[in-house]
Amino acid sequence: MKPFSFRASYRYFLSSLFVILTLFSAPAIAVIDSSLGGASALLMSKAFDNKSRGLDLLVETSHPRTSEILQLLSDSQLYYHKKDKRLFIITHYVTGKVAKDLQGNEQVIKKKRDFKKVTLNNKMRGQINRIQAELGLNADNPQQREAAVRDLLKDITPGTVATLKTRFLIEESKNVREMINIALAINDLKSSDDVLLSNAIEQLDGSLEQESRSALVAFVSTAQSPLLKKQAQIALKGIEDKVQYYGWLETLYFGLSLGSVLVLAGIGLAITFGVMGVINMAHGELIMIGAYTTYVIQLLMPDHIEWSILVAIPAAFVVSGLVGIAIERGVIRFLYGRPLETLLATFGISLILQQAVRSLFSPLNRSVETPDWMSGLIQINPVFSLTLSRLYIILFCLVVFVALLLVLKKTALGLQVRAVSQNRAMARSMGIRSNRVDALTFGLGSGVAGIAGVALSQLTNVGPNMGQAYIIDSFMVVVFGGVGNLWGTLVAGLSLGVANKVLEPWAGAVLAKVLMLIFIILFIQKRPRGLFPQRGRAAEG
Amino acid sequence: MGVLNIVKNDRGGQIMLGVLLVITILVPLLNLFVPETNPLHVPTYTVTLMGKYLTLALLAVAVDLVWGYLGILTLGHGAFFALGGYAMGMYLMRQIGDRGVYGNPELPDFMVFLDWQELPWFWQGFDQFWFAAIMIMLVPGVLAFIFGWLAFRSRVSGVYLSIITQAMTYALMLAFYRNEMGFGGNNGLTDFKDLVGFSLQEDTTRIGLFVLSAVALAVGYLICRHLMNSRLGRVCIAVRDAESRARFMGYRVENVKLWIFVISAMLAGVAGALYVPQVGIINPNEFSPINSIEIVVWVAVGGRATLYGAVIGALLINYAKTYFTAELPDVWLFALGGIFVLVTLLLPKGVTGFVAGLKQHKEVSA
């Protein structure tokens, strides 16, 4: 933090002098906040110029709480007591709430008139931003330093150029040096030296910063030399191509995350519909039950929201799975071989479940909190960043898919499920208890629906109607992929998601969805058994 | 007496039509000529409600035609109903003329609100009743034709067909929710004033619509019954029970399916057109898949492949719906869901099948 020791001590001398002068010249400000020195008195004065000087003073003394004070100022949370002449932090400026002074002593606000906010004007806001950026430039963390340079790009002044150049000499991080170079190059574009200009354009070539682009655009429109203009245009073109490329990557990423949602919603159905041949119209409601389970778990552990999701996944699997087994034992087992009847009966069940949720929880949507570790983003470059929640959804979808594949291919239950689904009579005669297998398979499919509900609770509101929103999507994915084929479900879900996101900017969200539905309707005409049809005798049915 | 020949061997149909005839004559009389203080007086509200039920019964008959006799479980018939309704709604919108909130003689209010300058091309002609009347049957018919032509020729059947019919109505719902579609967005079409010159607020118009609904139901029923009595009807049943055998016998199964499907869609369109002026609104919610599935349940409750069963089911469930949603709104979905489950499990042939079974049982034991 002390790269400028010489200058700092020099300034410190000046500022001390200033404080002493103020002390004598303004006896009215008798009590001074000892922690901030003269700066506090200046901040409490009425004139913005004085306040601005107060900020400079904080920086010059390299006061340890500078950035904190700046943040409070820009959040409008810094007040002063009119009589005491002391600074206070007030988050809720309401009588009866607490005002905290900078040492942390609390005081109840008796009258609102006692306090006055330290107001800012636009010039001061600019100053605060600049100081914050310059402070960030000296931060210990290279990422913070990079962000600080990026902030400075917006408004490069001779002062910032000097600061940047000094920083460059001692900067160790390659990324930060690169960023400083870009900043300096943007500044150099204003010069009239052809060599400097050409170097600057070369430096900016391929830079994805918004400011680099606008600087180049501005340069192209004013450039004197045709040669330099040409060079800048080529650089711009390169940048635009790169931006477009990342735009495609982003669409792909959004598409894959939407597709993962579709796969999650559909994959439980791929088991109950695809493997067992049961049209379960209550599938959406099983998803809903999973989402509500997440909600209840969060209510049960309000102090550990961070971990609630991890608890909710197995819980939702068990709850939805048990409901599924109850549905199978109570209704579906009487209707095997009559798919249209199962459709009607399970639709009835879905209505009952919806109303049950409505009566239990209220018809209003419930919001489920997202843990901190799931929000945020990974910034790859200025035009491309990965939202963490979407990344988790994609990973989660793949994990669920692989787990399910392993269950069906590698476990005894999986073997029995496949046996029963291919030839019930034969399987029974080989000693497989088909009733038990049916119940467990249905439970498995329902449990997976519940897990999907946990994931969906992080994306949308949890409400009694959420199941209906996903049932048609789920069926589309399974039918498109080919019934009885988990891989088909994966491919279908992901490709539908990507296609939807590709269409969206062109057609709008609703129309994109309509087009997808029409596409699937037409697709089924061509390939009635989906992308990956089942072959052999089992397929006739 | 050619018309009566159609229902010669149809005892249920005879009773149903008889009751319908009595109601159609009695209800208007009881509404118009019995004083309001008399307990026998039928309020206009009830007349409209009954008219609404009758249109829904016609819709159920249309569904029974394809589900009961062809085995096509359609989960999208609400779409044809709604399209017929929208065609009627567009006519009614144009009849408002300059009496709308914005007083624009050419454009309906919602278009003025959206700042549209001229009537979109697909609204042209809807100021003429004859044009709207054709569209009421033509639009659902054409959609059913295209959809059926694609689906039946490529032999999409069973649950796959059910799922794509559902996707069809869902896609239409999403589309109609868009303001840009030009059908009033999620508010739909409403604020109707009059129909071919008669004010919709008048009691006599409402009675007229009730009688029209009854006539439409009777005519629709007779058409369906006539079709099913004919050779085509027997082919239908053959297709339902053993599609590949019917195909091997040389019948063009896809054509049979297609034409019955189109006729059914047109009937549904007529039902929708009569429904809209009686309830006073048509909005995209009519396309929602749950509505279409509900129709199937009416038919299932009444009994498949009887036609009159569909009428009974539609009336029973809709009466129950009106009752429950008013008295015990929370119970309605439980009740409807329960009916779904119980009927499929315990009454696979519906109420009419159950009654017939009882009768047979009596005869056998007697």
Side-chain angles (χ1 to χ4, degrees), chain A residues 471-507:
Chain A
I471 184 73
I472 294 186
D473 285 341
S474 312
F475 269 115
M476 289 303 126
V477 168
V478 176
V479 165
F480 181 48
V483 168
N485 190 322
L486 287 188
W487 282 103
T489 309
L490 183 74
V491 173
L494 293 183
S495 50
L496 286 181
V498 172
N500 204 329
K501 285 291 169 189
V502 169
L503 284 177
E504 235 170 56
W506 173 69

Short mmCIF file of all heavy atoms in Angstrom, two decimals, chain A residues 471-507:
data_model
loop_
_atom_site.label_atom_id
_atom_site.label_comp_id
_atom_site.label_asym_id
_atom_site.label_seq_id
_atom_site.Cartn_x
_atom_site.Cartn_y
_atom_site.Cartn_z
N ILE A 471 -45.21 -29.87 -18.13
CA ILE A 471 -45.64 -31.19 -18.58
C ILE A 471 -45.53 -31.32 -20.09
O ILE A 471 -45.05 -32.33 -20.62
CB ILE A 471 -47.06 -31.51 -18.06
CG1 ILE A 471 -47.47 -32.91 -18.45
CG2 ILE A 471 -48.09 -30.53 -18.58
CD1 ILE A 471 -46.78 -33.96 -17.67
N ILE A 472 -45.94 -30.26 -20.82
CA ILE A 472 -45.91 -30.37 -22.28
C ILE A 472 -44.48 -30.41 -22.77
O ILE A 472 -44.11 -31.22 -23.63
CB ILE A 472 -46.72 -29.23 -22.92
CG1 ILE A 472 -48.19 -29.45 -22.54
CG2 ILE A 472 -46.54 -29.19 -24.42
CD1 ILE A 472 -49.15 -28.53 -23.17
N ASP A 473 -43.63 -29.55 -22.19
CA ASP A 473 -42.20 -29.59 -22.54
C ASP A 473 -41.63 -30.98 -22.32
O ASP A 473 -40.90 -31.50 -23.16
CB ASP A 473 -41.43 -28.59 -21.68
CG ASP A 473 -41.64 -27.17 -22.13
OD1 ASP A 473 -42.07 -27.00 -23.28
OD2 ASP A 473 -41.40 -26.24 -21.34
N SER A 474 -41.97 -31.57 -21.17
CA SER A 474 -41.41 -32.88 -20.86
C SER A 474 -41.82 -33.90 -21.91
O SER A 474 -41.00 -34.68 -22.39
CB SER A 474 -41.90 -33.35 -19.49
OG SER A 474 -41.75 -32.35 -18.54
N PHE A 475 -43.11 -33.90 -22.25
CA PHE A 475 -43.58 -34.86 -23.25
C PHE A 475 -42.90 -34.64 -24.59
O PHE A 475 -42.52 -35.59 -25.28
CB PHE A 475 -45.10 -34.77 -23.41
CG PHE A 475 -45.82 -35.69 -22.50
CD1 PHE A 475 -46.64 -35.21 -21.49
CD2 PHE A 475 -45.68 -37.07 -22.63
CE1 PHE A 475 -47.29 -36.06 -20.63
CE2 PHE A 475 -46.33 -37.93 -21.77
CZ PHE A 475 -47.14 -37.42 -20.78
N MET A 476 -42.74 -33.36 -24.95
CA MET A 476 -42.11 -33.05 -26.22
C MET A 476 -40.70 -33.63 -26.27
O MET A 476 -40.28 -34.21 -27.27
CB MET A 476 -42.04 -31.53 -26.43
CG MET A 476 -43.36 -30.89 -26.70
SD MET A 476 -44.13 -31.60 -28.13
CE MET A 476 -45.68 -32.07 -27.47
N VAL A 477 -39.97 -33.44 -25.18
CA VAL A 477 -38.59 -33.92 -25.15
C VAL A 477 -38.55 -35.43 -25.30
O VAL A 477 -37.79 -35.98 -26.11
CB VAL A 477 -37.91 -33.49 -23.82
CG1 VAL A 477 -36.60 -34.23 -23.65
CG2 VAL A 477 -37.68 -32.00 -23.82
N VAL A 478 -39.42 -36.12 -24.57
CA VAL A 478 -39.39 -37.58 -24.61
C VAL A 478 -39.82 -38.09 -25.98
O VAL A 478 -39.19 -38.98 -26.56
CB VAL A 478 -40.29 -38.16 -23.50
CG1 VAL A 478 -40.34 -39.66 -23.61
CG2 VAL A 478 -39.77 -37.75 -22.15
N VAL A 479 -40.87 -37.50 -26.51
CA VAL A 479 -41.38 -37.95 -27.81
C VAL A 479 -40.38 -37.64 -28.91
O VAL A 479 -40.12 -38.46 -29.80
CB VAL A 479 -42.74 -37.28 -28.09
CG1 VAL A 479 -43.12 -37.44 -29.54
CG2 VAL A 479 -43.81 -37.89 -27.21
N PHE A 480 -39.78 -36.45 -28.84
CA PHE A 480 -38.79 -36.06 -29.84
C PHE A 480 -37.58 -36.99 -29.80
O PHE A 480 -37.03 -37.40 -30.82
CB PHE A 480 -38.38 -34.61 -29.60
CG PHE A 480 -37.38 -34.06 -30.58
CD1 PHE A 480 -37.55 -34.23 -31.94
CD2 PHE A 480 -36.28 -33.35 -30.13
CE1 PHE A 480 -36.63 -33.71 -32.84
CE2 PHE A 480 -35.35 -32.83 -31.02
CZ PHE A 480 -35.53 -33.02 -32.38
N GLY A 481 -37.16 -37.32 -28.59
CA GLY A 481 -35.96 -38.12 -28.45
C GLY A 481 -36.16 -39.57 -28.82
O GLY A 481 -35.22 -40.27 -29.16
N GLY A 482 -37.37 -40.02 -28.75
CA GLY A 482 -37.61 -41.44 -28.98
C GLY A 482 -37.88 -42.10 -27.65
O GLY A 482 -37.09 -42.00 -26.72
N VAL A 483 -39.02 -42.77 -27.59
CA VAL A 483 -39.46 -43.31 -26.32
C VAL A 483 -38.58 -44.47 -25.89
O VAL A 483 -38.14 -45.26 -26.70
CB VAL A 483 -40.93 -43.73 -26.47
CG1 VAL A 483 -41.36 -44.56 -25.28
CG2 VAL A 483 -41.78 -42.50 -26.62
N GLY A 484 -38.33 -44.53 -24.60
CA GLY A 484 -37.58 -45.67 -24.07
C GLY A 484 -36.09 -45.54 -24.29
O GLY A 484 -35.37 -46.52 -24.35
N ASN A 485 -35.63 -44.31 -24.42
CA ASN A 485 -34.23 -44.11 -24.76
C ASN A 485 -33.72 -42.89 -24.01
O ASN A 485 -34.04 -41.75 -24.35
CB ASN A 485 -34.13 -43.91 -26.27
CG ASN A 485 -32.70 -43.93 -26.74
OD1 ASN A 485 -31.82 -43.43 -26.06
ND2 ASN A 485 -32.50 -44.52 -27.89
N LEU A 486 -32.91 -43.14 -22.98
CA LEU A 486 -32.43 -42.01 -22.18
C LEU A 486 -31.51 -41.10 -22.99
O LEU A 486 -31.55 -39.88 -22.85
CB LEU A 486 -31.67 -42.52 -20.95
CG LEU A 486 -32.51 -43.13 -19.83
CD1 LEU A 486 -31.65 -43.40 -18.63
CD2 LEU A 486 -33.65 -42.21 -19.46
N TRP A 487 -30.69 -41.70 -23.84
CA TRP A 487 -29.79 -40.88 -24.67
C TRP A 487 -30.61 -39.97 -25.56
O TRP A 487 -30.26 -38.81 -25.77
CB TRP A 487 -28.88 -41.77 -25.52
CG TRP A 487 -27.76 -42.33 -24.73
CD1 TRP A 487 -27.66 -43.61 -24.26
CD2 TRP A 487 -26.59 -41.65 -24.27
NE1 TRP A 487 -26.51 -43.76 -23.55
CE2 TRP A 487 -25.82 -42.57 -23.54
CE3 TRP A 487 -26.13 -40.34 -24.41
CZ2 TRP A 487 -24.61 -42.24 -22.95
CZ3 TRP A 487 -24.92 -40.01 -23.83
CH2 TRP A 487 -24.18 -40.94 -23.11
N GLY A 488 -31.68 -40.50 -26.11
CA GLY A 488 -32.56 -39.70 -26.95
C GLY A 488 -33.09 -38.50 -26.19
O GLY A 488 -33.14 -37.38 -26.70
N THR A 489 -33.47 -38.74 -24.92
CA THR A 489 -33.97 -37.65 -24.10
C THR A 489 -32.91 -36.57 -23.93
O THR A 489 -33.20 -35.37 -24.04
CB THR A 489 -34.40 -38.19 -22.73
OG1 THR A 489 -35.26 -39.29 -22.94
CG2 THR A 489 -35.09 -37.12 -21.93
N LEU A 490 -31.69 -37.01 -23.69
CA LEU A 490 -30.60 -36.03 -23.48
C LEU A 490 -30.39 -35.21 -24.75
O LEU A 490 -30.39 -33.97 -24.72
CB LEU A 490 -29.31 -36.76 -23.10
CG LEU A 490 -28.14 -35.83 -22.79
CD1 LEU A 490 -28.31 -35.16 -21.44
CD2 LEU A 490 -26.81 -36.58 -22.82
N VAL A 491 -30.23 -35.91 -25.87
CA VAL A 491 -29.97 -35.20 -27.13
C VAL A 491 -31.14 -34.29 -27.47
O VAL A 491 -30.95 -33.11 -27.84
CB VAL A 491 -29.71 -36.21 -28.27
CG1 VAL A 491 -29.61 -35.49 -29.60
CG2 VAL A 491 -28.45 -37.01 -28.00
N ALA A 492 -32.35 -34.81 -27.34
CA ALA A 492 -33.53 -34.03 -27.70
C ALA A 492 -33.63 -32.79 -26.82
O ALA A 492 -33.85 -31.69 -27.32
CB ALA A 492 -34.79 -34.88 -27.54
N GLY A 493 -33.48 -32.98 -25.52
CA GLY A 493 -33.62 -31.85 -24.60
C GLY A 493 -32.60 -30.77 -24.91
O GLY A 493 -32.94 -29.59 -25.06
N LEU A 494 -31.34 -31.18 -25.03
CA LEU A 494 -30.29 -30.17 -25.26
C LEU A 494 -30.48 -29.48 -26.60
O LEU A 494 -30.35 -28.26 -26.71
CB LEU A 494 -28.90 -30.83 -25.18
CG LEU A 494 -28.50 -31.33 -23.80
CD1 LEU A 494 -27.08 -31.89 -23.82
CD2 LEU A 494 -28.60 -30.24 -22.74
N SER A 495 -30.83 -30.27 -27.65
CA SER A 495 -30.93 -29.61 -28.95
C SER A 495 -32.16 -28.70 -29.00
O SER A 495 -32.11 -27.63 -29.60
CB SER A 495 -30.95 -30.64 -30.09
OG SER A 495 -31.89 -31.63 -29.84
N LEU A 496 -33.25 -29.10 -28.35
CA LEU A 496 -34.41 -28.21 -28.31
C LEU A 496 -34.07 -26.92 -27.57
O LEU A 496 -34.47 -25.83 -27.98
CB LEU A 496 -35.60 -28.89 -27.63
CG LEU A 496 -36.31 -29.96 -28.44
CD1 LEU A 496 -37.48 -30.53 -27.66
CD2 LEU A 496 -36.82 -29.37 -29.75
N GLY A 497 -33.33 -27.07 -26.47
CA GLY A 497 -32.94 -25.88 -25.72
C GLY A 497 -32.11 -24.93 -26.56
O GLY A 497 -32.37 -23.72 -26.62
N VAL A 498 -31.11 -25.49 -27.26
CA VAL A 498 -30.23 -24.63 -28.08
C VAL A 498 -31.03 -24.00 -29.21
O VAL A 498 -30.95 -22.79 -29.45
CB VAL A 498 -29.05 -25.45 -28.63
CG1 VAL A 498 -28.26 -24.63 -29.63
CG2 VAL A 498 -28.15 -25.90 -27.49
N ALA A 499 -31.85 -24.82 -29.88
CA ALA A 499 -32.64 -24.29 -31.00
C ALA A 499 -33.54 -23.16 -30.53
O ALA A 499 -33.67 -22.12 -31.19
CB ALA A 499 -33.48 -25.40 -31.63
N ASN A 500 -34.13 -23.35 -29.36
CA ASN A 500 -35.02 -22.32 -28.82
C ASN A 500 -34.26 -21.01 -28.61
O ASN A 500 -34.72 -19.93 -28.98
CB ASN A 500 -35.57 -22.82 -27.48
CG ASN A 500 -36.86 -22.15 -27.13
OD1 ASN A 500 -37.08 -21.00 -27.48
ND2 ASN A 500 -37.71 -22.85 -26.43
N LYS A 501 -33.05 -21.12 -28.05
CA LYS A 501 -32.28 -19.90 -27.78
C LYS A 501 -31.75 -19.26 -29.06
O LYS A 501 -31.53 -18.05 -29.11
CB LYS A 501 -31.12 -20.20 -26.83
CG LYS A 501 -31.56 -20.41 -25.39
CD LYS A 501 -32.05 -19.11 -24.78
CE LYS A 501 -32.72 -19.39 -23.45
NZ LYS A 501 -33.41 -18.22 -22.89
N VAL A 502 -31.53 -20.09 -30.09
CA VAL A 502 -31.09 -19.52 -31.36
C VAL A 502 -32.23 -18.73 -32.00
O VAL A 502 -32.04 -17.66 -32.55
CB VAL A 502 -30.59 -20.63 -32.31
CG1 VAL A 502 -30.39 -20.10 -33.72
CG2 VAL A 502 -29.28 -21.21 -31.79
N LEU A 503 -33.45 -19.28 -31.87
CA LEU A 503 -34.60 -18.62 -32.49
C LEU A 503 -35.03 -17.37 -31.72
O LEU A 503 -35.58 -16.46 -32.29
CB LEU A 503 -35.79 -19.59 -32.52
CG LEU A 503 -35.76 -20.68 -33.56
CD1 LEU A 503 -36.97 -21.58 -33.40
CD2 LEU A 503 -35.76 -20.07 -34.95
N GLU A 504 -34.78 -17.38 -30.42
CA GLU A 504 -35.34 -16.34 -29.57
C GLU A 504 -35.06 -14.89 -30.00
O GLU A 504 -35.98 -14.09 -30.11
CB GLU A 504 -34.92 -16.55 -28.12
CG GLU A 504 -36.10 -16.62 -27.21
CD GLU A 504 -35.72 -17.08 -25.83
OE1 GLU A 504 -34.86 -16.43 -25.22
OE2 GLU A 504 -36.27 -18.08 -25.35
N PRO A 505 -33.77 -14.54 -30.24
CA PRO A 505 -33.54 -13.14 -30.60
C PRO A 505 -34.21 -12.77 -31.92
O PRO A 505 -34.56 -11.63 -32.15
CB PRO A 505 -32.01 -13.06 -30.75
CG PRO A 505 -31.55 -14.45 -30.86
CD PRO A 505 -32.54 -15.32 -30.19
N TRP A 506 -34.47 -13.77 -32.75
CA TRP A 506 -35.03 -13.52 -34.07
C TRP A 506 -36.55 -13.47 -34.01
O TRP A 506 -37.18 -12.65 -34.68
CB TRP A 506 -34.55 -14.62 -35.00
CG TRP A 506 -35.15 -14.61 -36.36
CD1 TRP A 506 -34.93 -13.69 -37.33
CD2 TRP A 506 -36.06 -15.56 -36.89
NE1 TRP A 506 -35.65 -14.00 -38.43
CE2 TRP A 506 -36.36 -15.15 -38.20
CE3 TRP A 506 -36.66 -16.73 -36.39
CZ2 TRP A 506 -37.23 -15.86 -39.01
CZ3 TRP A 506 -37.52 -17.43 -37.20
CH2 TRP A 506 -37.80 -16.99 -38.49
N ALA A 507 -37.15 -14.33 -33.19
CA ALA A 507 -38.61 -14.44 -33.21
C ALA A 507 -39.26 -14.02 -31.90
O ALA A 507 -40.47 -13.87 -31.84
CB ALA A 507 -39.00 -15.88 -33.53
#
